[in-house]
Amino acid sequence: MKYKNIVFDFGNVIGRFDGKYILRQFCTNDEDYEILSSVVFANWPELDKGTIDYDENAEHALSLVPGHLRDATRKFFREWPKYVEPLESTLTFIDELYDNDVPMYLLSNAPTYFADQATHYDMLKKFRGIVFSAPIRMAKPDPAIYEYLFETFSLDPRECFFIDDLEQNIAAGETLGMDGLVFTGDIDKVKAAVGML
């Protein structure tokens, strides 16, 4: 291993966050999908940053949709986390790191509601530190959230390797001295990069 610590993003690294797939679980036709999509995802960056209240945003969304979509909207804001399906290859990799006593940390943008729900994921119990964006009111790629991770868990960025699905998030970590890789689903590529292959 070239690195002492592995830092994971959650969405599309540990669990598949596919907005279109998730929203399709709550509506049946294209017209309803377009209406819901324009409303429920409108403030997602602010939800990730924690700059707006999750429940207040949900209530606001309810006021914007036609009557026949109010139940679907309410249900979406309550149930969407269960449709973030774990990526099996990543779970296997997490188990391998855990069995080899490699410290793992999470650095993920997510609304407060997901951060609260995520305590139910068994794989996260294997992590030594977890940082979700909304509860601390900062989000990637703001360097402040990376510095928060390093300071909170006494990590040297040069000893960390970051796995995230977005180039700008990897680039932000690199400016602070943390190597990383844009994740495309290829665990062997990650293993090669960290010196496990």
Side-chain angles (χ1 to χ4, degrees), residues 107-158:
L107 181 63
S108 181
N109 287 352
T112 51
Y113 188 71
F114 186 81
D116 292 341
Q117 298 283 313
T119 57
H120 298 37
Y121 286 108
D122 286 339
M123 87 284 283
L124 293 185
K125 294 170 184 167
K126 298 173 181 176
F127 283 56
R128 299 198 188 176
I130 292 172
V131 175
F132 280 114
S133 59
I136 58 169
R137 298 195 172 194
M138 54 181 88
K140 297 176 294 183
D142 182 348
I145 195 170
Y146 298 80
E147 290 165 353
Y148 178 90
L149 172 78
F150 301 145
E151 290 168 14
T152 301
F153 300 107
S154 302
L155 302 176
D156 180 342
R158 294 166 299 181

